[in-house]
Amino acid sequence: MADFLSVSGWLLVFLQGLLFLVGAPLMVGWIRLIKSRLQNRRGPGITQPLRDLYKLFGKEVLVAHSASIVFRTAPYIVLASTLVAVSIVPLLSANLPSAMAADMIVLVGFLALGRFFLALAGMDVGSSFGGMGSSREMLVSALAEPAMLMAVFTLAMSAHSTNLSSVVEFNLGSGLILRPSFLFALLGLVLVAIAETGRIPIDNPATHLELTMIHEAMILEYSGRHLAMMEWAAQLKLMLYGVLIANLFFPWGIATELSVMSLATGLLAVVGKLLVLGILVAVAETVLAKMRLFKVPQYLNLAFLLTLLGLFSHVILESGT
Amino acid sequence: MNNPLTLALTAVLLALASALVSLLAQRYPVLIKWLVMPLLGASGLVAAMAGIDGLLSGQVISSQLPFGLPWLAWRVRVDVLASFFLLLIGMVSVAVAWYAPGYVREFENGRSPFTVLGGFSGLFLAGMQWVVIADDAFSFMVAWELMSLSSYFLVTFQHENSANRRAGFLYLMMAEIGALAILLGYGVLAGNGHGFAFDAMRQAHVTGLWASVAFALAFLGFGMKAGLVPVHAWLPEAHPVAPSHVSALMSGVMLKVAVYGFIRFSFDLLGEIQWGWGVAVLLIGSISALMGVLYALMQHDLKRLLAYHSVENIGIIFIGLGLAMVFAGTGHPLLAALGLVAALYHTINHALFKSLLFLGAGAVLHSSHQRDMEQMGGLLHKMPWTGLFFLIGCISIAALPPFNGFVSEWLTFQAALQAWALENGVLRSLIPITAAMLALTGALAAACFVKVYGVSFLGQARSKQVRKAREVDWGMRMGQGLLAAFCLLLGIFPTSMIGLINSIPQQLLGTGLKQATEHGWLWLTPLGASVASYSAPLILLGLLFAWGLAAWVMRRGSVREIRRSDAWDCGFSPLNSRMQYTASSFAQPIRRVFGLLFHIEEGIKREQSGQLRHELHVGDRLWGWLYAPVARIVLNGGRLAGRLQSGHVRNYLGWTLATLVVVLWLIS
Amino acid sequence: MMLAHLPLLEQGIFVLAALVLFTSFALLAQTRLTAAIHSFAWQGIMVALVTVLVAMVSHIHHLYLSALLTFSLKSLLIPWMLHRLVRRLNMEREVEMISHPAILLLTGAVLVIFSYWIALPIERLGLGNTRNIVAISLSVVLLGLWMMVSRRQVIAQVLGFMSMENGLFLAAVASTKGMPLVVELGVAFDVLVAAVLFGIFFFHISESIESLDVDRLNRLSEREEIS
């Protein structure tokens, strides 16, 4: 608890929040760029999502007559809860004071809070598309939750802590160990991340076909700055999962002390990891097709199975008496 | 006077007084508002004071009352466990007493007399308080029956409805079977301990098979009252049909009294805990949690849905208790204390948010006379306060931070995460699976409350009554607001509450969670800061900061005002209320994914007018698998026994003679 | 035992053993025959790799030979034969309906826990660092049998049978550093012959009843004829 009061630590939390805010649209831009190159298009520049957000802020806000106060506050709650969630994920440095205040389970909780209001906002106007999106989103997230938690469990049972900073430090400290449990947890978490961030094959972020939308259906009625906040939160969530996967399973390069040099190394390392991850996502999205909604349970079953095997291999292979 | 036991007895007396006064209420209805309910509230307040006093002082005070059986005077005792439950009963009943006068006005012109409502409410509350302070099996059972029977009369309050009578009968039957099991469980203990006083039972040290038998009986009996799957069938029938404030008391408090009984029996009276029992409790608990929430998702009657959620939450409580028993049985008292604290925290949380939600449902019912969610919609516009409080209840029950439900689920997860400390590898892999089921339950609960809130409070009104709904009076709002405030407080300051209840594992398991609060009120560190820490105030601060920042940035944009227009809806023609997603359609994907667990009857029927009508009925599989066969066996047995009734007096005398001969032979 | 204290090669054995378990589950859940055959081939590769690693750790040279044998037989020859069979029977696109995939997999998970429980006393015998793999191999065996119980498609049943053999082989390699070479050669030959015979039988079965659904084989019983 002692390092909780360090000013530099909290400055770092603030800095990394800003980095997330700027980085998330850039990461989406990067994925889109790679995707368009893979499809033989030139594609817009990497800063296009940032410019889109800026443009949306200047636009007029339209709100349906039937919308209630929930519709208008939801963007703020969704963005704020996602921001709180990203501020506890180690981005540059393993040692975050905010990770003390909230562990992995709280992280999951905050993402759930954002989703809860997102889904409520989808129901608020009373259009059929909004309800459809909410219903599907809640189904996907409900089925993803056990897998997510099992992955968290596998990590936490090895590190004996649910504190994100501690887990990163544990992985960093134990060097290169081939843990079958981590392999499975990683695979499972990747599948969960794809489902939770609404990427192909679960949901297509670029779709404009109403009947297949999930995330887009929920924010159908939003415009102007409200829409910008919702989009921003979704992009933040994507980057959050990316950083989580990159820094939990491949923690190398992350700063362990608060010096400019090591923070710069940490930044370079995490940018490098995210670029690679972005390429992987783009390739996967180009190769795969979106699946039917009722195939999604099978997909998430697989994710759960993987994380379950991760747990079993932890119990059977790694911690035998 | 400053003694928790005296306070608790005063609370019981006040509740009885409230019952007595309501005898006059039929004559003077004004008494309900000015005397009956205030007395009930005062009883709750005094009970809460007794609870806080008992928890703070941490002492055990026992006494004997001058009545009861000649050889067994009634004993009463207040310790920290009893204090905790007194506090819980008190908190909820104060809120209910605020709420009730406004709500019962509806029954003013009804045929059902006020006397019944007020009288049995008072007896019900007195019974629950008394169960908690009883210190011998005899007075425990008397109080238990008082609680069961008076709530039966409350369930059948509107008995002109045949469904209510049926629900009441089912409730009464299962309550009595459960009571029988509890009685037998006490019998086993009393037989070994030579006395019905709890003290004698504590000394008994039952071991081996008899301990397991006693445990199984108690688990069945208390589990039946608590509503664990598969003996939950009465709960979704009985809770919705009672008047809403009584539903709040039943779901919020009475189920907790059953949890109290279970804790008292297995942790306190039984002595040595075996880890095998813990596994049983854990499995039953996780199955209850999952089945409860899945069935809740399929309901569109608001109160019935909430009742199924009680099954879910009781399951979560028993997951915590099961973890505590597993850890206690394998010699990890500290981890057992964590499990127990998680279960107790969820107990009080569930009492608060479930009562809040039932009061909210009651408010909706009061102003729109609708229980069917398919007829609601847009209620937030009509009832902003109820809508706000109901939203708080929804967030709390969906276990979202920073409200109270999240804290207890977090604690339960932390307890489950300590499974690595166990030597037994099978347990090490089993406990995370139950935790995964808990995670699934939590996520499904969130889905369910998106459905509840989205369908009933958001969107557009689906029926005329709902369009005409109005906000309820201030007393009803006060009752809900009080509970909502408690939900928020318990979510943000968990350390204070855990500091209060820490003496309970201290008493029952010999060790408390000292580390949990050692870093001050800001930090909750159940097993030390290196394992896990959670700071709800900081998190809330961060949330508000981010919100404020976002709002501040947004306000600086060039366009500030908001323009109202028609909904976009991808350019379709104007929306009407029938185009909205309904409760059934919201739950359809989940119904399909988990179809195996439901008994689904779905079909399309052509009506006489030529219209097509889609019919959907989702039933409980367990009816067919468990209840119907049992009912058949009982009926057949009854028919066989009925043959004895031949109608000839001499035959009956013959049976009497035979019985007499057999009895004499047996005792000789 | 702490994984971190082991040399990297032995950690590799654990990872591969876990992957063998995963391929068993993949086999269980695959509804397309060709995909299932691929999973089986992958399982063979994993088992062969485990054998190579064990050979490298323990310096037992005949294990290289059994690894080669396993690889060529179970990940090349038998999958190729099954593939050919599937092609000749025109079943490449056939998808078997599994009514409740979640229950199938959960039962599999229960079997894994069960075999772990069973294998606990064996672990206490202390057969070296790789003893924990016994539990994995036992679960591979049980999962193979469970696959034979739960699937109706006869080729899926053969795959289950073959993966049972993989599990036994894994157990032998991991716990006692392999069987004597003669025994291994014999078993490998047995498996090969079994595969050939299965192939011939399927061909005849499918010609006579025009299906490879084992549930339809009960029509051959006499009871059916009487009624």
Side-chain angles (χ1 to χ4, degrees), chain A residues 60-61 63-65 100-101 103 110 135 161-162 221 225, chain B residues 410 414 417 531 533 535 539 559 563-565 568-569 586:
Chain A
E60 189 186 26
V61 178
V63 173
H65 292 300
M100 287 282 204
D103 63 354
F110 265 94
S135 163
S161 168
T162 51
E221 299 296 333
R225 56 171 185 268
Chain B
W410 186 81
Q414 289 297 341
L417 266 169
V531 177
S533 51
S535 170
I539 285 293
V559 188
R563 186 153 66 88
R564 290 278 179 173
S565 69
W568 151 234
D569 202 32
F586 188 92

PDB file of all heavy atoms in Angstrom, chain A residues 60-61 63-65 100-101 103 110 135 161-162 221 225, chain B residues 410 414 417 531 533 535 539 559 563-565 568-569 586:
ATOM      1  N   GLU A  60     -23.983  17.766 -34.722  1.00  0.00           N
ATOM      2  CA  GLU A  60     -25.162  17.950 -33.878  1.00  0.00           C
ATOM      3  C   GLU A  60     -25.613  16.602 -33.310  1.00  0.00           C
ATOM      4  O   GLU A  60     -25.462  15.565 -33.952  1.00  0.00           O
ATOM      5  CB  GLU A  60     -26.278  18.532 -34.722  1.00  0.00           C
ATOM      6  CG  GLU A  60     -27.481  18.957 -33.932  1.00  0.00           C
ATOM      7  CD  GLU A  60     -28.615  19.388 -34.841  1.00  0.00           C
ATOM      8  OE1 GLU A  60     -28.664  18.907 -35.989  1.00  0.00           O
ATOM      9  OE2 GLU A  60     -29.434  20.195 -34.412  1.00  0.00           O
ATOM     10  N   VAL A  61     -26.175  16.662 -32.093  1.00  0.00           N
ATOM     11  CA  VAL A  61     -26.649  15.431 -31.461  1.00  0.00           C
ATOM     12  C   VAL A  61     -28.150  15.315 -31.662  1.00  0.00           C
ATOM     13  O   VAL A  61     -28.899  16.209 -31.301  1.00  0.00           O
ATOM     14  CB  VAL A  61     -26.330  15.435 -29.959  1.00  0.00           C
ATOM     15  CG1 VAL A  61     -26.860  14.175 -29.320  1.00  0.00           C
ATOM     16  CG2 VAL A  61     -24.848  15.543 -29.744  1.00  0.00           C
ATOM     17  N   VAL A  63     -31.502  13.099 -30.709  1.00  0.00           N
ATOM     18  CA  VAL A  63     -32.000  12.108 -29.757  1.00  0.00           C
ATOM     19  C   VAL A  63     -33.460  11.843 -30.068  1.00  0.00           C
ATOM     20  O   VAL A  63     -34.230  12.777 -30.289  1.00  0.00           O
ATOM     21  CB  VAL A  63     -31.836  12.612 -28.302  1.00  0.00           C
ATOM     22  CG1 VAL A  63     -32.515  11.669 -27.339  1.00  0.00           C
ATOM     23  CG2 VAL A  63     -30.375  12.736 -27.944  1.00  0.00           C
ATOM     24  N   ALA A  64     -33.817  10.575 -30.089  1.00  0.00           N
ATOM     25  CA  ALA A  64     -35.193  10.217 -30.436  1.00  0.00           C
ATOM     26  C   ALA A  64     -36.160  10.711 -29.360  1.00  0.00           C
ATOM     27  O   ALA A  64     -35.793  10.871 -28.202  1.00  0.00           O
ATOM     28  CB  ALA A  64     -35.306   8.711 -30.594  1.00  0.00           C
ATOM     29  N   HIS A  65     -37.406  10.938 -29.770  1.00  0.00           N
ATOM     30  CA  HIS A  65     -38.414  11.434 -28.823  1.00  0.00           C
ATOM     31  C   HIS A  65     -38.624  10.459 -27.679  1.00  0.00           C
ATOM     32  O   HIS A  65     -38.831  10.858 -26.541  1.00  0.00           O
ATOM     33  CB  HIS A  65     -39.748  11.641 -29.544  1.00  0.00           C
ATOM     34  CG  HIS A  65     -39.702  12.757 -30.520  1.00  0.00           C
ATOM     35  ND1 HIS A  65     -39.416  14.041 -30.160  1.00  0.00           N
ATOM     36  CD2 HIS A  65     -39.895  12.778 -31.856  1.00  0.00           C
ATOM     37  CE1 HIS A  65     -39.439  14.823 -31.228  1.00  0.00           C
ATOM     38  NE2 HIS A  65     -39.716  14.074 -32.279  1.00  0.00           N
ATOM     39  N   MET A 100      -3.531  -1.626  -7.664  1.00  0.00           N
ATOM     40  CA  MET A 100      -3.853  -1.955  -6.285  1.00  0.00           C
ATOM     41  C   MET A 100      -5.354  -1.831  -6.029  1.00  0.00           C
ATOM     42  O   MET A 100      -5.939  -2.592  -5.279  1.00  0.00           O
ATOM     43  CB  MET A 100      -3.160  -0.979  -5.337  1.00  0.00           C
ATOM     44  CG  MET A 100      -1.696  -1.195  -5.225  1.00  0.00           C
ATOM     45  SD  MET A 100      -1.468  -2.572  -4.174  1.00  0.00           S
ATOM     46  CE  MET A 100       0.137  -2.276  -3.606  1.00  0.00           C
ATOM     47  N   ALA A 101      -5.924  -0.803  -6.639  1.00  0.00           N
ATOM     48  CA  ALA A 101      -7.316  -0.492  -6.333  1.00  0.00           C
ATOM     49  C   ALA A 101      -8.269  -1.472  -6.990  1.00  0.00           C
ATOM     50  O   ALA A 101      -9.420  -1.598  -6.573  1.00  0.00           O
ATOM     51  CB  ALA A 101      -7.648   0.923  -6.764  1.00  0.00           C
ATOM     52  N   ASP A 103      -8.378  -5.353  -9.212  1.00  0.00           N
ATOM     53  CA  ASP A 103      -7.648  -6.473  -9.780  1.00  0.00           C
ATOM     54  C   ASP A 103      -8.332  -6.959 -11.049  1.00  0.00           C
ATOM     55  O   ASP A 103      -9.187  -6.279 -11.604  1.00  0.00           O
ATOM     56  CB  ASP A 103      -7.506  -7.586  -8.744  1.00  0.00           C
ATOM     57  CG  ASP A 103      -8.845  -8.139  -8.335  1.00  0.00           C
ATOM     58  OD1 ASP A 103      -9.863  -7.563  -8.775  1.00  0.00           O
ATOM     59  OD2 ASP A 103      -8.895  -9.108  -7.591  1.00  0.00           O
ATOM     60  N   PHE A 110     -15.817  -4.030 -14.530  1.00  0.00           N
ATOM     61  CA  PHE A 110     -16.028  -2.726 -15.165  1.00  0.00           C
ATOM     62  C   PHE A 110     -16.388  -2.859 -16.625  1.00  0.00           C
ATOM     63  O   PHE A 110     -17.214  -2.092 -17.145  1.00  0.00           O
ATOM     64  CB  PHE A 110     -14.801  -1.832 -14.973  1.00  0.00           C
ATOM     65  CG  PHE A 110     -14.978  -0.949 -13.797  1.00  0.00           C
ATOM     66  CD1 PHE A 110     -14.506  -1.315 -12.559  1.00  0.00           C
ATOM     67  CD2 PHE A 110     -15.693   0.232 -13.918  1.00  0.00           C
ATOM     68  CE1 PHE A 110     -14.717  -0.525 -11.471  1.00  0.00           C
ATOM     69  CE2 PHE A 110     -15.916   1.022 -12.829  1.00  0.00           C
ATOM     70  CZ  PHE A 110     -15.419   0.652 -11.587  1.00  0.00           C
ATOM     71  N   SER A 135     -29.836  -8.014 -27.064  1.00  0.00           N
ATOM     72  CA  SER A 135     -30.055  -9.417 -26.737  1.00  0.00           C
ATOM     73  C   SER A 135     -28.857 -10.257 -27.148  1.00  0.00           C
ATOM     74  O   SER A 135     -28.364 -11.097 -26.380  1.00  0.00           O
ATOM     75  CB  SER A 135     -31.321  -9.882 -27.446  1.00  0.00           C
ATOM     76  OG  SER A 135     -31.381 -11.267 -27.498  1.00  0.00           O
ATOM     77  N   SER A 161      -2.004 -14.459  -7.165  1.00  0.00           N
ATOM     78  CA  SER A 161      -2.498 -13.105  -6.976  1.00  0.00           C
ATOM     79  C   SER A 161      -3.400 -12.753  -8.151  1.00  0.00           C
ATOM     80  O   SER A 161      -3.218 -13.262  -9.259  1.00  0.00           O
ATOM     81  CB  SER A 161      -1.337 -12.123  -6.910  1.00  0.00           C
ATOM     82  OG  SER A 161      -1.821 -10.820  -6.994  1.00  0.00           O
ATOM     83  N   THR A 162      -4.378 -11.901  -7.892  1.00  0.00           N
ATOM     84  CA  THR A 162      -5.193 -11.437  -9.015  1.00  0.00           C
ATOM     85  C   THR A 162      -4.834 -10.025  -9.409  1.00  0.00           C
ATOM     86  O   THR A 162      -5.479  -9.443 -10.271  1.00  0.00           O
ATOM     87  CB  THR A 162      -6.699 -11.476  -8.664  1.00  0.00           C
ATOM     88  OG1 THR A 162      -6.864 -10.805  -7.423  1.00  0.00           O
ATOM     89  CG2 THR A 162      -7.204 -12.876  -8.570  1.00  0.00           C
ATOM     90  N   GLU A 221     -28.869   4.348 -32.881  1.00  0.00           N
ATOM     91  CA  GLU A 221     -29.598   5.607 -32.734  1.00  0.00           C
ATOM     92  C   GLU A 221     -28.696   6.751 -32.294  1.00  0.00           C
ATOM     93  O   GLU A 221     -29.163   7.863 -32.102  1.00  0.00           O
ATOM     94  CB  GLU A 221     -30.719   5.440 -31.710  1.00  0.00           C
ATOM     95  CG  GLU A 221     -31.752   4.404 -32.088  1.00  0.00           C
ATOM     96  CD  GLU A 221     -32.513   4.791 -33.337  1.00  0.00           C
ATOM     97  OE1 GLU A 221     -32.627   6.000 -33.608  1.00  0.00           O
ATOM     98  OE2 GLU A 221     -32.958   3.876 -34.053  1.00  0.00           O
ATOM     99  N   ARG A 225     -21.598  13.611 -30.609  1.00  0.00           N
ATOM    100  CA  ARG A 225     -20.601  13.264 -29.606  1.00  0.00           C
ATOM    101  C   ARG A 225     -20.947  11.981 -28.855  1.00  0.00           C
ATOM    102  O   ARG A 225     -20.060  11.260 -28.419  1.00  0.00           O
ATOM    103  CB  ARG A 225     -20.395  14.425 -28.633  1.00  0.00           C
ATOM    104  CG  ARG A 225     -21.642  14.915 -27.943  1.00  0.00           C
ATOM    105  CD  ARG A 225     -21.284  15.903 -26.853  1.00  0.00           C
ATOM    106  NE  ARG A 225     -22.428  16.302 -26.101  1.00  0.00           N
ATOM    107  CZ  ARG A 225     -23.177  17.377 -26.397  1.00  0.00           C
ATOM    108  NH1 ARG A 225     -22.861  18.147 -27.415  1.00  0.00           N
ATOM    109  NH2 ARG A 225     -24.230  17.664 -25.671  1.00  0.00           N
TER     110      ARG A 225
ATOM    111  N   TRP B 410     -17.107 -10.739  -5.695  1.00  0.00           N
ATOM    112  CA  TRP B 410     -15.648 -10.628  -5.729  1.00  0.00           C
ATOM    113  C   TRP B 410     -15.036 -11.442  -4.595  1.00  0.00           C
ATOM    114  O   TRP B 410     -14.071 -12.184  -4.796  1.00  0.00           O
ATOM    115  CB  TRP B 410     -15.270  -9.149  -5.615  1.00  0.00           C
ATOM    116  CG  TRP B 410     -13.816  -8.866  -5.778  1.00  0.00           C
ATOM    117  CD1 TRP B 410     -13.143  -8.766  -6.954  1.00  0.00           C
ATOM    118  CD2 TRP B 410     -12.868  -8.612  -4.740  1.00  0.00           C
ATOM    119  NE1 TRP B 410     -11.832  -8.477  -6.710  1.00  0.00           N
ATOM    120  CE2 TRP B 410     -11.626  -8.378  -5.373  1.00  0.00           C
ATOM    121  CE3 TRP B 410     -12.929  -8.572  -3.355  1.00  0.00           C
ATOM    122  CZ2 TRP B 410     -10.474  -8.102  -4.659  1.00  0.00           C
ATOM    123  CZ3 TRP B 410     -11.775  -8.296  -2.648  1.00  0.00           C
ATOM    124  CH2 TRP B 410     -10.559  -8.065  -3.290  1.00  0.00           C
ATOM    125  N   GLN B 414     -12.612 -14.619  -4.817  1.00  0.00           N
ATOM    126  CA  GLN B 414     -11.321 -14.663  -4.134  1.00  0.00           C
ATOM    127  C   GLN B 414     -11.190 -15.938  -3.312  1.00  0.00           C
ATOM    128  O   GLN B 414     -10.128 -16.550  -3.281  1.00  0.00           O
ATOM    129  CB  GLN B 414     -11.155 -13.448  -3.217  1.00  0.00           C
ATOM    130  CG  GLN B 414     -10.961 -12.149  -3.952  1.00  0.00           C
ATOM    131  CD  GLN B 414      -9.701 -12.127  -4.789  1.00  0.00           C
ATOM    132  OE1 GLN B 414      -8.798 -12.903  -4.583  1.00  0.00           O
ATOM    133  NE2 GLN B 414      -9.656 -11.245  -5.763  1.00  0.00           N
ATOM    134  N   LEU B 417     -10.529 -18.715  -5.633  1.00  0.00           N
ATOM    135  CA  LEU B 417      -9.187 -18.625  -6.203  1.00  0.00           C
ATOM    136  C   LEU B 417      -8.131 -19.206  -5.291  1.00  0.00           C
ATOM    137  O   LEU B 417      -7.020 -19.496  -5.722  1.00  0.00           O
ATOM    138  CB  LEU B 417      -8.848 -17.158  -6.459  1.00  0.00           C
ATOM    139  CG  LEU B 417      -9.139 -16.666  -7.848  1.00  0.00           C
ATOM    140  CD1 LEU B 417      -9.024 -15.178  -7.899  1.00  0.00           C
ATOM    141  CD2 LEU B 417      -8.157 -17.289  -8.808  1.00  0.00           C
ATOM    142  N   VAL B 531      -2.082 -10.546  -2.294  1.00  0.00           N
ATOM    143  CA  VAL B 531      -2.941 -11.497  -2.998  1.00  0.00           C
ATOM    144  C   VAL B 531      -3.971 -10.769  -3.856  1.00  0.00           C
ATOM    145  O   VAL B 531      -4.076 -11.001  -5.054  1.00  0.00           O
ATOM    146  CB  VAL B 531      -3.645 -12.432  -1.997  1.00  0.00           C
ATOM    147  CG1 VAL B 531      -4.587 -13.358  -2.726  1.00  0.00           C
ATOM    148  CG2 VAL B 531      -2.624 -13.220  -1.224  1.00  0.00           C
ATOM    149  N   SER B 533      -6.413  -6.883  -3.831  1.00  0.00           N
ATOM    150  CA  SER B 533      -6.921  -5.731  -3.109  1.00  0.00           C
ATOM    151  C   SER B 533      -7.972  -5.044  -3.968  1.00  0.00           C
ATOM    152  O   SER B 533      -7.942  -5.129  -5.190  1.00  0.00           O
ATOM    153  CB  SER B 533      -5.786  -4.765  -2.776  1.00  0.00           C
ATOM    154  OG  SER B 533      -5.044  -4.477  -3.936  1.00  0.00           O
ATOM    155  N   SER B 535     -10.357  -1.379  -3.904  1.00  0.00           N
ATOM    156  CA  SER B 535     -10.696  -0.159  -3.216  1.00  0.00           C
ATOM    157  C   SER B 535     -11.878   0.483  -3.912  1.00  0.00           C
ATOM    158  O   SER B 535     -11.723   1.184  -4.908  1.00  0.00           O
ATOM    159  CB  SER B 535      -9.499   0.776  -3.223  1.00  0.00           C
ATOM    160  OG  SER B 535      -9.898   2.031  -2.764  1.00  0.00           O
ATOM    161  N   ILE B 539     -12.165   3.501  -6.806  1.00  0.00           N
ATOM    162  CA  ILE B 539     -12.711   3.135  -8.113  1.00  0.00           C
ATOM    163  C   ILE B 539     -13.872   4.061  -8.470  1.00  0.00           C
ATOM    164  O   ILE B 539     -13.985   4.543  -9.602  1.00  0.00           O
ATOM    165  CB  ILE B 539     -13.166   1.667  -8.057  1.00  0.00           C
ATOM    166  CG1 ILE B 539     -11.961   0.752  -8.094  1.00  0.00           C
ATOM    167  CG2 ILE B 539     -14.090   1.335  -9.172  1.00  0.00           C
ATOM    168  CD1 ILE B 539     -11.226   0.805  -9.394  1.00  0.00           C
ATOM    169  N   VAL B 559     -21.198  22.279 -30.896  1.00  0.00           N
ATOM    170  CA  VAL B 559     -22.659  22.162 -30.823  1.00  0.00           C
ATOM    171  C   VAL B 559     -23.022  21.610 -29.455  1.00  0.00           C
ATOM    172  O   VAL B 559     -22.619  20.510 -29.097  1.00  0.00           O
ATOM    173  CB  VAL B 559     -23.179  21.205 -31.905  1.00  0.00           C
ATOM    174  CG1 VAL B 559     -24.687  21.251 -31.932  1.00  0.00           C
ATOM    175  CG2 VAL B 559     -22.591  21.558 -33.231  1.00  0.00           C
ATOM    176  N   ARG B 563     -30.919  17.987 -30.174  1.00  0.00           N
ATOM    177  CA  ARG B 563     -32.173  18.131 -30.900  1.00  0.00           C
ATOM    178  C   ARG B 563     -32.945  16.817 -30.813  1.00  0.00           C
ATOM    179  O   ARG B 563     -32.383  15.742 -30.977  1.00  0.00           O
ATOM    180  CB  ARG B 563     -31.889  18.464 -32.366  1.00  0.00           C
ATOM    181  CG  ARG B 563     -33.147  18.762 -33.157  1.00  0.00           C
ATOM    182  CD  ARG B 563     -32.856  19.683 -34.322  1.00  0.00           C
ATOM    183  NE  ARG B 563     -32.005  19.075 -35.330  1.00  0.00           N
ATOM    184  CZ  ARG B 563     -32.475  18.350 -36.357  1.00  0.00           C
ATOM    185  NH1 ARG B 563     -33.764  18.160 -36.480  1.00  0.00           N
ATOM    186  NH2 ARG B 563     -31.649  17.831 -37.233  1.00  0.00           N
ATOM    187  N   ARG B 564     -34.238  16.965 -30.530  1.00  0.00           N
ATOM    188  CA  ARG B 564     -35.104  15.790 -30.478  1.00  0.00           C
ATOM    189  C   ARG B 564     -35.660  15.516 -31.863  1.00  0.00           C
ATOM    190  O   ARG B 564     -36.031  16.437 -32.585  1.00  0.00           O
ATOM    191  CB  ARG B 564     -36.270  16.029 -29.522  1.00  0.00           C
ATOM    192  CG  ARG B 564     -35.856  16.074 -28.069  1.00  0.00           C
ATOM    193  CD  ARG B 564     -35.733  14.679 -27.550  1.00  0.00           C
ATOM    194  NE  ARG B 564     -35.303  14.683 -26.152  1.00  0.00           N
ATOM    195  CZ  ARG B 564     -35.248  13.587 -25.405  1.00  0.00           C
ATOM    196  NH1 ARG B 564     -35.570  12.421 -25.919  1.00  0.00           N
ATOM    197  NH2 ARG B 564     -34.863  13.642 -24.164  1.00  0.00           N
ATOM    198  N   SER B 565     -35.712  14.282 -32.240  1.00  0.00           N
ATOM    199  CA  SER B 565     -36.275  13.965 -33.549  1.00  0.00           C
ATOM    200  C   SER B 565     -36.865  12.566 -33.488  1.00  0.00           C
ATOM    201  O   SER B 565     -36.852  11.930 -32.442  1.00  0.00           O
ATOM    202  CB  SER B 565     -35.177  14.006 -34.606  1.00  0.00           C
ATOM    203  OG  SER B 565     -34.304  12.923 -34.395  1.00  0.00           O
ATOM    204  N   TRP B 568     -34.155   6.988 -35.743  1.00  0.00           N
ATOM    205  CA  TRP B 568     -33.602   6.722 -37.079  1.00  0.00           C
ATOM    206  C   TRP B 568     -34.017   5.322 -37.532  1.00  0.00           C
ATOM    207  O   TRP B 568     -34.670   5.157 -38.554  1.00  0.00           O
ATOM    208  CB  TRP B 568     -32.084   6.899 -37.000  1.00  0.00           C
ATOM    209  CG  TRP B 568     -31.224   6.114 -37.924  1.00  0.00           C
ATOM    210  CD1 TRP B 568     -30.199   5.305 -37.559  1.00  0.00           C
ATOM    211  CD2 TRP B 568     -31.264   6.077 -39.347  1.00  0.00           C
ATOM    212  NE1 TRP B 568     -29.601   4.761 -38.645  1.00  0.00           N
ATOM    213  CE2 TRP B 568     -30.236   5.204 -39.768  1.00  0.00           C
ATOM    214  CE3 TRP B 568     -32.076   6.660 -40.306  1.00  0.00           C
ATOM    215  CZ2 TRP B 568     -29.995   4.923 -41.104  1.00  0.00           C
ATOM    216  CZ3 TRP B 568     -31.831   6.373 -41.634  1.00  0.00           C
ATOM    217  CH2 TRP B 568     -30.800   5.524 -42.032  1.00  0.00           C
ATOM    218  N   ASP B 569     -33.684   4.300 -36.734  1.00  0.00           N
ATOM    219  CA  ASP B 569     -34.118   2.942 -37.001  1.00  0.00           C
ATOM    220  C   ASP B 569     -33.897   2.522 -38.454  1.00  0.00           C
ATOM    221  O   ASP B 569     -34.753   1.890 -39.072  1.00  0.00           O
ATOM    222  CB  ASP B 569     -35.603   2.773 -36.621  1.00  0.00           C
ATOM    223  CG  ASP B 569     -35.926   1.307 -36.380  1.00  0.00           C
ATOM    224  OD1 ASP B 569     -35.042   0.584 -35.909  1.00  0.00           O
ATOM    225  OD2 ASP B 569     -37.065   0.900 -36.673  1.00  0.00           O
ATOM    226  N   PHE B 586     -36.191 -11.122 -26.373  1.00  0.00           N
ATOM    227  CA  PHE B 586     -34.864 -10.848 -25.838  1.00  0.00           C
ATOM    228  C   PHE B 586     -34.207 -12.141 -25.358  1.00  0.00           C
ATOM    229  O   PHE B 586     -33.013 -12.359 -25.548  1.00  0.00           O
ATOM    230  CB  PHE B 586     -34.965  -9.866 -24.670  1.00  0.00           C
ATOM    231  CG  PHE B 586     -33.634  -9.377 -24.183  1.00  0.00           C
ATOM    232  CD1 PHE B 586     -33.083  -8.219 -24.693  1.00  0.00           C
ATOM    233  CD2 PHE B 586     -32.926 -10.068 -23.229  1.00  0.00           C
ATOM    234  CE1 PHE B 586     -31.848  -7.763 -24.259  1.00  0.00           C
ATOM    235  CE2 PHE B 586     -31.691  -9.628 -22.796  1.00  0.00           C
ATOM    236  CZ  PHE B 586     -31.151  -8.471 -23.313  1.00  0.00           C
TER     237      PHE B 586
END
